[in-house]
Amino acid sequence: MRKIIKPCGFHCIKMKDLGVSFGDQVVLEHINLHIHCGSLTAIIGRNGAGKSTLVKAILDDIPHQGTIEFRNTENGKIKHLKIGYVPQSLNLEPNAPMDVYDLITSFCFKYPIFLKKKSVENEIKEALEIFEAEGLIHKQVGKLSGGELQRVLLSMAIMDQPDLLLLDEPVSGIDKNGMDLFYQKMDYLRKNYDMSIVLISHDLDYVAKYADKVVLIDKTVMADGTPKKVFESEAFKNVFGGVSYE
């Protein structure tokens, strides 16, 4: 694991005129966003608004128009963007003979999983410790609860020291204690790592409390800014009705 550093504030993710179409169907168009390091940006919107499609476009999993750049605003240089990703769900066979060590090793290390290596195990434990999951390292993956699996996937997502961490509704089905822990850990990463965090969420109370920036998507950007600014916008009221910001 890398040494924890304070976010410098100079790096940003820049999306310019991003769009996605499937045949004649326009799913996203004219997405223009700047996301700075050390920030937590929440993507909100109605079902089918294009939120997950935006994540897939950033991951380059689907064809898209426009550009996505990782820019150092100190000197204007464009750098390669490293991305960590946690999906909505992961299909796992409950009886698969794979533990958490095997899962993370297979994705994050060029090292045969059947040859156990102490240095690899220690590195994995360090990542798991951030999410209070080090005790799960030898637990069978198929036996993990929803909250345990979420913490393992988050640990795996930061193993490669990403510049951008993408989270597609990662707390779906998690209880309140799990939600509290998740957002506290996101706040910890935001404050202590030089990375941007983009989170798709329907949890408006948590978004209001923890997000630095909110982006309301409905095919395009309908509103963006602080939680207060977006929650008080007409676009937000049209989508979410009488929900108020406090």
Side-chain angles (χ1 to χ4, degrees):
M1 289 294 292
R2 65 180 175 181
K3 181 181 178 181
I4 294 175
I5 56 176
K6 293 290 185 182
C8 66
F10 290 117
H11 303 136
C12 71
I13 312 302
K14 183 178 181 181
M15 303 176 208
K16 185 176 180 181
D17 208 27
L18 189 70
V20 176
S21 299
F22 300 112
D24 294 331
Q25 181 186 9
V26 178
V27 181
L28 292 173
E29 60 183 356
H30 307 307
I31 302 291
N32 295 285
L33 291 173
H34 284 191
I35 299 169
H36 288 272
C37 67
S39 67
L40 195 161
T41 299
I43 308 294
I44 63 173
R46 69 179 91 239
N47 290 334
K51 301 185 299 297
S52 292
T53 300
L54 176 61
V55 167
K56 291 176 183 177
I58 296 172
L59 290 167
D60 207 24
D61 282 348
I62 56 175
H64 58 84
Q65 300 83 45
T67 60
I68 304 169
E69 298 175 351
F70 176 52
R71 185 176 294 275
N72 181 336
T73 57
E74 273 189 306
N75 52 30
K77 290 183 178 179
I78 297 173
K79 299 182 179 181
H80 175 66
L81 177 64
K82 290 197 295 183
I83 299 176
Y85 172 57
V86 178
Q88 288 186 30
S89 61
L90 192 65
N91 294 323
L92 297 169
E93 291 293 333
N95 297 317
M98 174 183 285
D99 64 13
V100 170
Y101 172 93
D102 295 335
L103 175 68
I104 296 179
T105 302
S106 64
F107 276 92
C108 301
F109 294 91
K110 296 178 179 179
Y111 191 85
I113 62 174
F114 57 84
L115 294 176
K116 303 296 184 182
K117 193 172 183 181
K118 192 64 177 177
S119 61
V120 170
E121 181 169 341
N122 289 338
E123 190 169 347
I124 291 172
K125 277 185 177 179
E126 286 183 26
L128 290 169
E129 282 174 3
I130 293 175
F131 299 100
E132 301 179 18
E134 64 273 17
L136 302 175
I137 189 167
H138 295 303
K139 187 169 182 177
Q140 191 173 338
V141 173
K143 303 299 183 184
L144 297 173
S145 69
E148 289 173 339
L149 178 59
Q150 173 217 75
R151 285 182 280 157
V152 167
L153 293 178
L154 285 165
S155 302
M156 188 163 66
I158 67 168
M159 287 291 296
D160 195 34
Q161 306 174 20
D163 304 302
L164 173 64
L165 181 60
L166 293 175
L167 308 168
D168 190 355
E169 296 188 50
V171 290
S172 179
I174 305 299
D175 63 21
K176 185 180 184 304
N177 288 337
M179 294 273 286
D180 289 339
L181 177 63
F182 169 79
Y183 278 95
Q184 289 164 11
K185 294 302 180 183
M186 291 303 101
D187 196 47
Y188 170 81
L189 290 178
R190 177 185 68 80
K191 291 176 178 176
N192 293 282
Y193 282 72
D194 196 20
M195 72 169 69
S196 306
I197 301 173
V198 175
L199 165 69
I200 294 179
S201 179
H202 293 286
D203 309 305
L204 298 182
D205 290 342
Y206 286 96
V207 167
K209 183 177 180 180
Y210 287 101
D212 299 292
K213 180 177 181 177
V214 178
V215 180
L216 174 59
I217 294 286
D218 192 357
K219 188 183 291 186
T220 192
V221 176
M222 304 301 294
D224 73 289
T226 65
K228 180 177 177 62
K229 177 183 176 182
V230 173
F231 280 37
E232 292 179 350
S233 69
E234 286 301 315
F236 180 89
K237 294 172 185 176
N238 289 337
V239 173
F240 295 103
V243 177
S244 61
Y245 171 84
E246 296 183 358

